Amino acid sequence: MSQSGRVLVIYPDMYITKIGVFEGNHHLYQQTIIHDEDELNRFDQLIDQVAYRKQAIFEQLDLDGMNTSRLISVCGRGGLLCPIGGGTYQVNDAMLYDLKTNAYGEHVSNLGAILAYDIAENLNIHAYIVDPPVVDEMQKIAKYTGIPEIERASIFHSLNHRHAGRIAAKQIGAAYNSLKLISIHIARGITIASHQSGKIIDVTNGVDGEGPFTIDRSGSIPLKGFLAYISEQYSNVEDFDWNHLQQDGGLKAYLHTEDPSIIHSRLMQGDRHTKNVIEAQAYQIAKEVGAMSTVLHGEVDGIVFTGKISENDFVIDAIIPRINWIADVMVFPGKNDLEAMNEGVLEVLNNPGEVKIYVAEEAN
């Protein structure tokens, strides 16, 4: 590093906050703070959880003997912002405003930059985010929908996709910028992406309902059937709750559980319905991988799985036979969010000119 010190990384999720401390590339410390679900539910909005989570972070660091005075920067999980290019961004007022007002949607990821800034400000150091989910490097042709007034948007697990691409490049023994890759992130959400020349040029937007169904998301559904469903279930379309598709669909709707251990147990017992549903999910994921291979004109140097691999091994096992004819398949277990965030911060600490500044959309 060009300067000695430590980086604190913060990754808020639905009912947990992951934190880590790095010195250079050395991962000194990691802890997952599990929040009481009832305690979080007492807050009317996600933004109201900031003070509660911030206190929990300081208490955990203090309990584990981590000295915050040695920190030189703080990095938070990126949230829903206006479309921006990939890279490391310094948290500024424009970013905080868009996150605090949910200008581009409410999501737990919005808390990351706010927490990082609050902690960094007290220590008189900078706060950053790295490759937020709104990274938009999609080629123009990928944004057409068939309705001129509607464009496809790029919202996906960009942090993990990019990091997995770079790990794959090291395994292949080539520069990331020289490769054409397909990456599949499997966790609570599932997104698939195409990489070319160091850019992620097409993605499935899981937040807006694209792609395969997941643990609790419906994924892409037939428009005519969806409209008929809405008209049958609701007298007023405005009464429809989007969360029904985002939190009560997918495996949860078919199997009435979202617990991977229960699903795995049913598969081991030979439950035909469970097997059919898992095969259908694998089919949908494989079909999206095939579509992404056409984006790269069939010239694919590797296919990469990342995310919560151990919890979804039964799905991955069903996907691989459908896609391994396209290219070699690499599986990198674990969500490497903290490592990817730290690497992004190190890049700008060593090369200050690489730091990017967020500009609100209306100012662009």
Side-chain angles (χ1 to χ4, degrees), residues 327-354:
D328 291 339
V329 177
M330 293 164 275
V331 180
F332 302 130
K335 293 180 67 178
N336 300 302
D337 316 272
L338 304 186
E339 291 82 358
M341 292 160 67
N342 178 63
E343 287 179 9
V345 173
L346 292 182
E347 185 173 339
V348 298
L349 290 179
N350 291 323
N351 303 284
E354 295 297 316

Side-chain angles (χ1 to χ4, degrees), residues 224-240:
K224 185 175 181 180
F226 172 67
L227 293 175
Y229 171 81
I230 294 295
S231 63
E232 290 171 4
Q233 299 292 324
Y234 300 90
S235 56
N236 189 338
V237 174
E238 294 179 355
D239 293 334
F240 175 71

Side-chain angles (χ1 to χ4, degrees), residues 218-269:
S218 66
S220 299
I221 49 179
L223 181 58
K224 185 175 181 180
F226 172 67
L227 293 175
Y229 171 81
I230 294 295
S231 63
E232 290 171 4
Q233 299 292 324
Y234 300 90
S235 56
N236 189 338
V237 174
E238 294 179 355
D239 293 334
F240 175 71
D241 185 0
W242 178 251
N243 288 332
H244 181 61
L245 298 181
Q246 294 291 75
Q247 298 177 7
D248 299 315
L251 297 181
K252 185 178 179 181
Y254 280 110
L255 304 178
H256 308 292
T257 184
E258 49 190 314
D259 187 335
S261 64
I262 293 175
I263 296 172
H264 190 270
S265 176
R266 291 179 184 174
L267 289 172
M268 293 299 98
Q269 294 169 12

Side-chain angles (χ1 to χ4, degrees), residues 98-163:
D98 282 353
L99 294 172
K100 289 179 178 180
T101 59
N102 298 318
Y104 297 93
E106 185 179 28
H107 192 272
V108 68
S109 62
N110 290 2
L111 304 181
I114 301 170
L115 286 165
Y117 183 84
D118 282 359
I119 292 172
E121 186 179 38
N122 290 338
L123 298 171
N124 197 30
I125 56 180
H126 291 311
Y128 302 95
I129 62 169
V130 178
D131 280 334
V134 294
V135 165
D136 186 357
E137 298 169 343
M138 287 174 64
Q139 51 189 343
K140 186 175 180 179
I141 196 172
K143 296 200 170 188
Y144 284 81
T145 65
I147 298 178
E149 294 79 10
I150 301 175
E151 275 194 350
R152 293 183 64 230
S154 176
I155 306 177
F156 67 117
H157 304 89
S158 56
L159 183 70
N160 286 291
H161 279 280
R162 181 98 61 193
H163 189 65

Side-chain angles (χ1 to χ4, degrees), residues 316-329:
I316 294 169
D317 288 346
I319 298 170
I320 290 176
R322 291 183 176 273
I323 64 172
N324 58 10
W325 59 273
I326 299 172
D328 291 339
V329 177

Side-chain angles (χ1 to χ4, degrees), residues 20-328:
V21 176
F22 294 80
E23 189 155 12
N25 287 311
H26 183 45
H27 197 162
L28 296 175
Y29 167 83
Q30 181 170 331
Q31 189 64 261
T32 298
I33 303 169
I34 301 174
H35 304 295
D36 182 81
E37 188 172 337
D38 292 333
E39 186 71 16
L40 290 183
N41 288 338
R42 73 180 176 86
F43 296 105
D44 293 332
Q45 297 183 13
L46 283 170
I47 189 65
D48 299 329
Q49 299 177 9
V50 170
Y52 170 80
R53 291 192 187 233
K54 179 181 173 182
Q55 180 180 346
I57 291 169
F58 275 119
E59 288 178 352
Q60 192 67 56
L61 290 170
D62 185 59
L63 179 65
D64 296 334
M66 298 304 298
N67 185 352
T68 57
S69 69
R70 297 186 63 183
L71 297 175
I72 57 171
S73 60
V74 184
C75 184
R77 179 186 184 186
L80 300 181
L81 298 163
C82 72
I84 55 179
T88 301
Y89 288 77
Q90 186 174 324
V91 180
N92 59 12
D93 289 340
M95 183 185 298
L96 292 171
Y97 178 83
D98 282 353
L99 294 172
K100 289 179 178 180
T101 59
N102 298 318
Y104 297 93
E106 185 179 28
H107 192 272
V108 68
S109 62
N110 290 2
L111 304 181
I114 301 170
L115 286 165
Y117 183 84
D118 282 359
I119 292 172
E121 186 179 38
N122 290 338
L123 298 171
N124 197 30
I125 56 180
H126 291 311
Y128 302 95
I129 62 169
V130 178
D131 280 334
V134 294
V135 165
D136 186 357
E137 298 169 343
M138 287 174 64
Q139 51 189 343
K140 186 175 180 179
I141 196 172
K143 296 200 170 188
Y144 284 81
T145 65
I147 298 178
E149 294 79 10
I150 301 175
E151 275 194 350
R152 293 183 64 230
S154 176
I155 306 177
F156 67 117
H157 304 89
S158 56
L159 183 70
N160 286 291
H161 279 280
R162 181 98 61 193
H163 189 65
R166 288 174 174 155
I167 295 174
K170 289 179 182 178
Q171 183 163 312
I172 293 170
Y176 170 63
N177 291 356
S178 71
L179 296 175
K180 295 181 179 181
L181 302 168
I182 298 171
S183 54
I184 307 109
H185 175 92
I186 298 185
R188 194 165 198 89
I190 299 174
T191 49
I192 298 97
S194 291
H195 307 236
Q196 180 176 298
S197 302
K199 302 289 186 182
I200 298 176
I201 62 171
D202 201 353
V203 304
T204 58
N205 178 348
V207 170
D208 286 352
E210 291 184 354
F213 63 82
T214 74
I215 290 175
D216 57 3
R217 296 179 186 175
S218 66
S220 299
I221 49 179
L223 181 58
K224 185 175 181 180
F226 172 67
L227 293 175
Y229 171 81
I230 294 295
S231 63
E232 290 171 4
Q233 299 292 324
Y234 300 90
S235 56
N236 189 338
V237 174
E238 294 179 355
D239 293 334
F240 175 71
D241 185 0
W242 178 251
N243 288 332
H244 181 61
L245 298 181
Q246 294 291 75
Q247 298 177 7
D248 299 315
L251 297 181
K252 185 178 179 181
Y254 280 110
L255 304 178
H256 308 292
T257 184
E258 49 190 314
D259 187 335
S261 64
I262 293 175
I263 296 172
H264 190 270
S265 176
R266 291 179 184 174
L267 289 172
M268 293 299 98
Q269 294 169 12
D271 183 79
R272 172 52 59 179
H273 175 62
T274 300
K275 186 174 186 294
N276 288 344
V277 171
I278 294 302
E279 286 182 347
Q281 184 185 49
Y283 173 88
Q284 291 192 3
I285 295 170
K287 187 166 68 170
E288 295 290 351
V289 171
M292 288 298 174
S293 73
T294 70
V295 172
L296 300 173
H297 299 278
E299 300 171 358
V300 184
D301 296 305
I303 300 172
V304 189
F305 282 94
T306 185
K308 294 186 176 180
I309 303 300
S310 61
E311 293 183 8
N312 297 279
D313 56 350
F314 45 81
V315 182
I316 294 169
D317 288 346
I319 298 170
I320 290 176
R322 291 183 176 273
I323 64 172
N324 58 10
W325 59 273
I326 299 172
D328 291 339

